[in-house]
């Protein structure tokens, strides 16, 4: 319970004390949006690294060399923990927006930082609004921003490696002509969700698979794209499950 209190206190203090930084970032963004993107990424990465340190999490990252560094990518991962964003964001090599549920917009200061980082907010109950989010993500990637999405749509609380993917989520990569990077996060729920409200030390493995260049796929391969991504994530997840 002590870890939870310390970690939660750090997050709250960071958000409150970062108000001057948000103002400074707003000013910087008016002059140079690219400079704001770079500085916001650095600030949030520092905060997330502190969260992991305070939580006592040990993370092994595999396959980072597979992630293209010269272009935006669509990270597609499994989702079992609120820590998934923290675990993966500290390793992104460029500005990366996450697709999050719209409820995050109600959290003061946090939503401001998320907007600075090009995060998009999805209304899962409204199909039309969901389509707008997908289109916005495509536009962001065309501008050079990577996007991370968890297509299961909610945290997986089952024994299955993955829940069914939401249709259309991979269209972001197809329409922007950017590669998909399958991403398997193993044992993240052991940090927090498996024993709420305690935060416990845990070893997590995050593995990045070989990128899938959608513009190189033929028609049949595109039809099977969702199955291909699911299979790759599942294989990495099951392999690494034996190691934690």
């Amino acid at each position: 319970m002590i870890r939870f209190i310390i970690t939660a206190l750090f997050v709250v203090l960071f958000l409150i004390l970062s108000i001057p930084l948000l103002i400074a970032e707003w000013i910087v963004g008016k002059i140079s949006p690219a400079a704001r993107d770079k500085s916001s990424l650095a600030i949030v990465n520092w905060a997330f690294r502190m969260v992991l340190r305070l939580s006592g999490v040990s993370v092994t990252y595999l396959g980072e060399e597979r992630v293209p560094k010269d272009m935006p990518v669509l990270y597609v991962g499994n989702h079992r923990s609120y820590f998934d964003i923290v675990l993966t964001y500290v390793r992104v090599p460029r500005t990366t927006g996450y697709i999050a549920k719209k409820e995050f917009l109600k959290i003061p200061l946090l939503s401001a930082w998320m907007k600075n980082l090009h995060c998009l907010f999805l209304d899962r109950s409204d199909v039309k609004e969901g389509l707008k989010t997908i289109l916005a993500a495509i536009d962001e990637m065309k501008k050079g921003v990577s996007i991370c999405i968890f297509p299961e749509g909610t945290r997986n609380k089952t024994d299955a490696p993955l829940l069914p993917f939401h249709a259309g989520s991979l269209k972001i990569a197809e329409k922007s002509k950017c590669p998909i990077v399958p991403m398997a996060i193993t044992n993240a729920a052991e940090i927090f969700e498996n024993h709420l409200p305690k935060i416990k030390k845990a070893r997590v493995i995050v593995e990045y698979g070989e990128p899938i260049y959608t513009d190189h796929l033929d028609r049949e391969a595109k039809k099977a794209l969702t199955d291909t991504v699911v299979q790759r994530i599942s294989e990495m997840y099951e392999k690494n499950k034996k190691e934690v």
Side-chain angles (χ1 to χ4, degrees):
M1 196 63 182
I2 293 177
R3 287 186 185 277
F4 173 80
I5 294 172
I6 292 174
T7 304
L9 183 61
F10 170 79
V11 172
V12 172
L13 287 175
F14 168 77
L15 290 175
I16 293 173
L17 296 176
S18 71
I19 292 175
L21 287 175
L22 279 171
I23 296 172
E25 291 292 88
W26 179 80
I27 296 172
V28 170
K30 291 295 182 181
I31 302 170
S32 173
R36 182 202 60 194
D37 289 348
K38 186 175 181 179
S39 57
S40 290
L41 176 63
I43 292 167
V44 173
N45 269 343
W46 173 84
F48 281 175
R49 285 194 297 271
M50 287 299 300
V51 167
L52 292 176
R53 184 176 300 176
L54 293 171
S55 302
V57 181
S58 171
V59 193
T60 300
Y61 294 95
L62 304 174
E64 288 186 279
E65 72 282 355
R66 299 169 183 153
V67 180
K69 305 298 190 295
D70 58 346
M71 65 179 70
V73 303
L74 178 68
Y75 297 97
V76 179
N78 61 310
H79 189 30
R80 289 181 175 264
S81 173
Y82 290 117
F83 274 80
D84 291 340
I85 295 174
V86 180
L87 290 162
T88 56
Y89 204 87
V90 296
R91 310 301 285 198
V92 297
R94 64 191 300 133
T95 301
T96 302
Y98 280 58
I99 295 183
K101 57 185 180 181
K102 69 171 184 177
E103 286 76 10
F104 278 102
L105 283 169
K106 299 177 183 178
I107 305 177
L109 302 178
L110 175 62
S111 59
W113 279 111
M114 292 178 74
K115 289 176 182 177
N116 272 7
L117 297 168
H118 298 261
C119 290
L120 302 169
F121 302 91
L122 178 66
D123 185 345
R124 293 176 291 184
S125 64
D126 190 321
V127 176
K128 289 184 178 179
E129 289 301 313
L131 178 59
K132 288 181 181 179
T133 302
I134 296 297
L135 293 175
I138 293 169
D139 187 54
E140 289 284 2
M141 292 195 73
K142 288 181 177 179
K143 294 177 181 176
V145 176
S146 289
I147 295 291
C148 181
I149 188 169
F150 303 108
E152 293 167 285
T154 187
R155 286 181 295 112
N156 183 359
K157 303 173 185 178
T158 73
D159 292 330
L162 289 165
L163 298 175
F165 274 19
H166 282 209
S169 57
L170 301 185
K171 291 292 183 183
I172 298 171
E174 289 188 54
K175 298 298 183 181
S176 62
K177 301 186 184 302
C178 292
I180 294 171
V181 175
M183 184 173 64
I185 308 166
T186 306
N187 209 41
E190 193 56 34
I191 303 170
F192 183 54
E193 282 75 10
N194 287 351
H195 35 69
L196 296 170
K198 295 181 180 179
I199 289 178
K200 292 186 176 182
K201 286 185 176 182
R203 183 185 175 216
V204 178
I205 298 177
V206 179
E207 183 169 4
Y208 303 89
E210 291 289 346
I212 301 171
Y213 293 86
T214 56
D215 55 336
H216 296 171
L217 302 178
D218 58 28
R219 182 176 298 181
E220 291 304 314
K222 286 183 178 180
K223 287 182 180 179
L225 183 57
T226 297
D227 291 338
T228 300
V229 174
V230 167
Q231 181 181 356
R232 293 194 185 184
I233 295 173
S234 298
E235 287 174 353
M236 291 187 290
Y237 179 85
E238 293 293 351
K239 171 176 67 74
N240 293 329
K241 192 176 180 181
K242 301 173 184 177
E243 303 296 327
V244 293

